[in-house]
């Protein structure tokens, strides 16, 4: 299987984050991608190619112009060193009844565009996020032309980012941008299945009122787990999109035997939708020793995951999302991809 990745994606490297009332080293570190690259060559997954240059119009098919403009401008603002070189983190948010316009203050703007305090912006964030999205777009182009499985080694990840806001280590929604690019190329319906431990609230939001993209997510129950305010089963879509959003929350400590039958059910619903292409938002933070999650997948369970994702026999691309157990992230990701490749008829 071919991988798409750019070294520019490594530039985003915030030193720390706020985690359960403590300042800790940033979990979503560039080392994640380095470990995955190492496993790709160790297991001989296939070639690693650079993404093509990104047309900014492709981003704006998913993200609002003011949001894209903010993200680029605020990265430049950090680079200009006006507040020192510390990454920017918001500290003040609106409640829905607070309706004043977007302020001029950079901290006011951060509060407007962010939904959490765990997603710092550095001088290199914009460049890395745009490169990550380019990898997804280039993978989508390869998928559309070759109809062969492909892996977008995206990082920073994307599934928490919506059209006009960021959070959860995510700035641009790589999977959504890939899906939109497929549609704009004339693909016909696209399905996205999100197997990250966390609910893909951004992807849900982007396609919530649409039926050209089916979004299905299995994740930790938002009553206990991040992102808390999205991911319940009754969130099934709106307007034209009713019935085209599927949420399957799982209890704390879920293991593969609990997960597998629910994933099978989701895959059958995706099959009924008859997508022309499948996008997998691949998070491996379901792993038993993930430092920020509590599911119990073993490394072998990721082979089973890869096999299960292959049941549709549809052209499929994988977009990297979460997974923070640095030691095993490579084997878990490449294990999933190799098992998919072995099983898929394509
Ligand atoms: C991103 B992805 C504690 C707060 C929670 C956000 C988790 C984002 C996960 N630091 N942090 O879905 O793996
Ligand atoms: Zn996650």
């Amino acid at each position: 299987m071919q991988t798409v990745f750019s070294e520019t994606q490594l530039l985003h490297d915030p030193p720390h984050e706020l985690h359960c009332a403590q300042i800790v080293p940033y979990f979503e570190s560039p080392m994640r991608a380095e470990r995955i690259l190492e496993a790709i060559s160790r297991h001989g997954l296939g070639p690693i190619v650079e993404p093509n240059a990104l047309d900014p119009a492709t981003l704006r098919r998913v993200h609002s112009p003011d949001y894209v403009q903010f993200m680029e401008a605020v990265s430049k603002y950090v680079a200009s060193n006006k507040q020192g070189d510390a990454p920017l983190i918001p500290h003040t948010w609106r409640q829905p009844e607070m309706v004043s316009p977007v302020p001029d203050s950079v901290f006011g703007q951060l509060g407007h565009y962010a939904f959490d305090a765990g997603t710092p912006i550095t001088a290199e964030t914009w460049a890395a996020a745009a490169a990550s999205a380019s990898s997804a777009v280039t993978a989508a182009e390869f998928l559309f032309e070759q109809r062969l499985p492909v892996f977008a080694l995206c990082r920073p990840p994307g599934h928490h980012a919506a059209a006009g806001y960021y959070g959860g280590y995510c700035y641009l929604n790589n999977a959504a941008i890939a899906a939109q690019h497929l549609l704009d190329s004339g693909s016909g319906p696209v399905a996205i299945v999100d197997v990250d431990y966390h609910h893909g609230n951004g992807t849900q939001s982007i396609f919530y009122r649409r039926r050209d993209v089916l979004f299905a997510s299995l994740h930790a129950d938002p009553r206990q787990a991040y992102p808390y305010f999205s991911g319940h089963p009754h969130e099934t879509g709106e307007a034209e999109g009713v019935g085209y959003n599927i949420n399957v929350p799982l209890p704390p400590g879920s293991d593969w035997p609990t997960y597998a039958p629910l994933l099978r059910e989701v895959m059958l619903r995706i099959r009924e939708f008859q997508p022309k292409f499948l996008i997998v938002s691949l998070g491996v933070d379901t792993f038993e020793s993930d430092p920020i999650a509590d599911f119990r997948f073993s490394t072998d369970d990721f082979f089973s995951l890869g096999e299960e994702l292959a049941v549709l026999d549809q052209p499929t691309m994988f977009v990297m999302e979460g997974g923070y157990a640095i030691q095993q992230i490579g084997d878990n990701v490449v294990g999933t991809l190799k098992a998919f490749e072995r099983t898929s008829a394509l």
Side-chain angles (χ1 to χ4, degrees):
M1 189 181 310
Q2 178 170 295
T3 297
V4 190
F5 176 75
S6 157
E7 300 267 321
T8 307
Q9 293 171 229
L10 301 174
L11 296 178
H12 171 70
D13 189 12
H16 43 236
E17 69 176 272
L18 188 61
H19 178 67
C20 303
Q22 280 190 311
I23 303 288
V24 301
Y26 199 55
F27 288 107
E28 202 287 285
S29 92
M31 215 193 302
R32 298 177 58 247
E34 281 164 355
R35 290 302 177 102
I36 296 168
L37 290 167
E38 179 276 321
I40 288 171
S41 53
R42 183 161 41 86
H43 293 285
L45 180 71
I48 299 162
V49 304
E50 287 272 327
N52 304 321
L54 180 69
D55 178 354
T58 309
L59 296 183
R60 278 189 248 108
R61 294 286 295 142
V62 163
H63 293 282
S64 58
D66 64 306
Y67 174 72
V68 174
Q69 147 79 33
F70 155 80
M71 199 46 83
E72 192 168 1
V74 79
S75 289
K76 281 197 187 129
Y77 176 85
V78 187
S80 76
N81 237 325
K82 285 200 188 64
Q83 324 246 346
D85 56 7
L88 293 174
I89 296 173
H91 48 60
T92 309
W93 283 270
R94 303 174 185 271
Q95 285 293 313
E97 68 170 44
M98 301 161 90
V99 294
S100 294
V102 186
D104 299 332
S105 151
V106 67
F107 280 95
Q109 294 201 4
L110 291 165
H112 177 80
Y113 287 109
F115 75 92
D116 73 16
T119 314
I121 297 182
T122 71
E124 291 84 17
T125 296
W126 170 252
S132 189
S134 319
S135 289
V137 171
T138 299
E141 285 169 351
F142 176 87
L143 178 70
F144 185 74
E145 283 154 25
Q146 308 291 321
R147 290 172 202 254
L148 289 173
V150 55
F151 175 44
L153 206 186
C154 293
R155 164 298 141 183
H159 72 153
H160 297 300
Y165 57 88
Y166 70 99
Y169 313 148
C170 302
Y171 306 89
L172 295 171
N173 194 313
N174 308 307
I177 293 164
Q180 186 62 51
H181 193 65
L182 286 168
L183 290 166
D184 292 344
S185 310
S187 66
V190 175
I192 303 176
V193 62
D194 188 325
V195 297
D196 187 278
Y197 169 88
H198 303 94
H199 177 237
N201 64 284
T203 318
Q204 163 169 313
S205 164
I206 289 163
F207 299 115
Y208 207 57
R209 300 172 66 85
R210 292 167 52 173
R211 60 200 309 162
D212 51 354
V213 176
L214 173 71
F215 177 65
S217 179
L218 297 98
H219 48 262
D221 194 316
R223 287 177 295 186
Q224 288 100 28
Y226 184 92
Y228 309 114
F229 304 106
S230 183
H232 287 270
H234 67 259
E235 298 159 21
T236 57
E238 258 171 30
E240 281 230 317
V242 172
Y244 296 86
N245 192 85
I246 301 169
N247 283 327
V248 182
L250 290 116
S254 290
D255 57 6
W256 176 251
T258 311
Y259 192 100
L262 297 166
L263 176 59
R264 172 58 63 94
E265 229 174 282
V266 163
M267 295 308 286
L268 295 176
R269 291 203 33 203
I270 294 176
R271 170 174 288 161
E272 284 165 29
F273 175 70
Q274 295 190 292
K276 290 288 188 273
F277 294 94
L278 177 66
I279 299 177
V280 179
S281 266
L282 178 62
V284 295
D285 40 9
T286 47
F287 182 55
E288 55 198 356
S289 43
D290 195 277
I292 65 165
D294 65 4
F295 282 5
R296 295 186 186 142
F297 285 28
S298 68
T299 293
D300 283 351
D301 291 333
F302 288 99
F303 302 142
S304 310
L305 174 65
E307 289 168 6
E308 192 56 49
L309 292 168
V311 300
L312 296 183
D313 285 329
Q314 283 297 328
T316 300
M317 67 179 272
F318 291 81
V319 176
M320 194 65 219
E321 304 286 358
Y324 308 97
I326 291 283
Q327 205 60 43
Q328 299 93 343
I329 189 174
D331 287 340
N332 293 343
V333 169
V334 177
T336 308
L337 300 175
K338 287 211 113 181
F340 176 92
E341 228 179 4
R342 276 200 304 273
T343 313
S344 169
L346 297 171

